[in-house]
């Protein structure tokens, strides 16, 4: 009996369940020690100075945009091959999105794509770039970070695909060449916490702002109070009930329930990464005979990826078929596939907002990409099964 294969899924084990149950039996379901525990664990696996947990990767992106005080009149450069949330974060704060092209083989933004996008900012002031570490492979951050620094741009890495990836000898999330990095812990990502996200940074002031905006923009720090007459009593002591909000934030907190799961899962990151790498290698070997019709996603030499998804590039036209037919035929065999991603600049919202940008690299990547099943609980024999099915469907 063959089982249905999703393109990605979580692996939850008994100790993960026990960690969540322990929180459910404790006093704090939110705002408690499991949240700070998760942040400490994330700092240790990323090498970050600060980690701020929040309710999703999308919330993390929004918090990063707020912490940088991006707003109307500002331009944010975003590669078009990403999840919509990367671009939307700029729109949440009223900034303009300028889409960058990507390498058609890797889907990654390179410095020349950033340079080209900077020339398309029009009247908006370029303030930030949000590079995306697609599929678990990293953008060349040393080079891109250097270019950004020369152009006076903030850098926020969308590392939602790349927890555990190492590039140029540096862990993703340490922010060696960026201001912040953003993670998601949605169940399809490498580490699951239900819904959850985080921002890492080496910058104390940014970390403080992230924490502020994560919880309504409310502060109880006496040193930050702007209205001393209301904040302090006659003896100069802060009034015990008093808090202040200088700028509205959101409720983007992560609960202790989610964070307990996240901490338990983070402890397994090395094992998850190893298993995903083994599966990707098995795919590589099994797919080799299907070249050049089917090729794994292009590799960057300086990155040791913590693979998030298994993307292949298929020349559907040369195979005399199209992607819809292939996806449906694989689905009939119990194999779920996906497309990561429909280039964001082609979404109706962005097409209506900005006149259509020609991004040939993004279009070429999109035309061929297909995401095959990859998850920690997958068997090597199932890799063989997927590749055999793909071969049958294409011939
Ligand atoms: C998943 C993902 C997000 C959003 O994360 P959520 O936790 O689902 O909000 C953002 N960017 C990329 C590249 C993602 O893959």
């Amino acid at each position: 009996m063959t089982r249905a294969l999703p393109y990605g899924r979580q692996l939850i084990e008994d100790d993960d369940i026990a960690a969540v149950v322990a929180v459910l039996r404790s006093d704090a379901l939110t705002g408690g020690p499991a949240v700070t525990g998760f942040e400490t664990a994330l700092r240790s696996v990323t090498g970050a100075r600060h980690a701020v947990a929040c309710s999703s990767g999308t919330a993390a992106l929004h918090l990063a945009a707020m912490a940088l005080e991006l707003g109307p009149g500002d331009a944010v450069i975003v590669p078009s091959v990403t999840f919509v949330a990367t671009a939307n974060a700029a729109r949440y704060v009223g900034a303009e999105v300028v889409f960058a092209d990507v390498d058609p083989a890797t889907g990654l933004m390179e410095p020349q794509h950033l340079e080209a996008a900077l020339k398309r900012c029009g009247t908006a002031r370029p303030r930030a770039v949000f590079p995306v570490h697609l599929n678990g492979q990293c953008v060349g951050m040393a080079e891109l970070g250097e270019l950004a620094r020369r152009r006076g741009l903030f850098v926020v890495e969308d590392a939602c695909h790349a927890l555990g990836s190492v590039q140029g000898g540096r862990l993703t999330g340490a922010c060696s060449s960026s201001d912040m990095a953003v993670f998601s812990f949605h169940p399809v990502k490498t580490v699951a916490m239900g819904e959850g996200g985080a921002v890492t940074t080496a910058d104390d002031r940014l970390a403080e702002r992230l924490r502020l905006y994560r919880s309504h923009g409310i502060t109880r720090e006496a040193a930050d109070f702007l209205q001393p007459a209301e904040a302090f009593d006659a003896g100069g002591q802060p009034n015990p009930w008093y808090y202040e909000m200088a700028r509205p934030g959101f409720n983007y907190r992560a609960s202790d329930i989610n964070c307990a799961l996240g901490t338990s899962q983070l402890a397994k990151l090395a094992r998850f990464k190893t298993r995903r790498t083994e599966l990707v290698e098995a795919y590589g070997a099994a797919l080799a005979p299907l070249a050049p019709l089917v090729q794994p996603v292009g590799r960057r030499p300086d990155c040791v990826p913590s693979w998030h998804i298994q993307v292949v590039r298929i020349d559907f036209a040369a195979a005399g078929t199209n992607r819809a037919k292939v996806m449906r035929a694989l689905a009939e065999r119990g194999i779920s596939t996906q497309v990561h991603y429909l280039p964001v600049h082609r979404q109706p919202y962005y097409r209506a907002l900005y006149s259509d940008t020609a991004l040939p690299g993004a279009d070429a990547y999109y035309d061929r990409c297909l995401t095959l099943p990859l998850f920690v609980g997958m068997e090597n024999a199932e890799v063989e099964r997927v590749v055999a099915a793909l071969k049958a469907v294409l011939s």
Side-chain angles (χ1 to χ4, degrees), residues 56-58 61 82-83 85-86 132 158 160-161 184 186 189 196 341:
S56 69
T58 303
L61 284 159
T82 184
F83 186 50
T86 321
V132 176
D158 184 334
C160 291
H161 289 197
S184 165
H186 181 278
K189 306 288 160 65
Y341 293 94

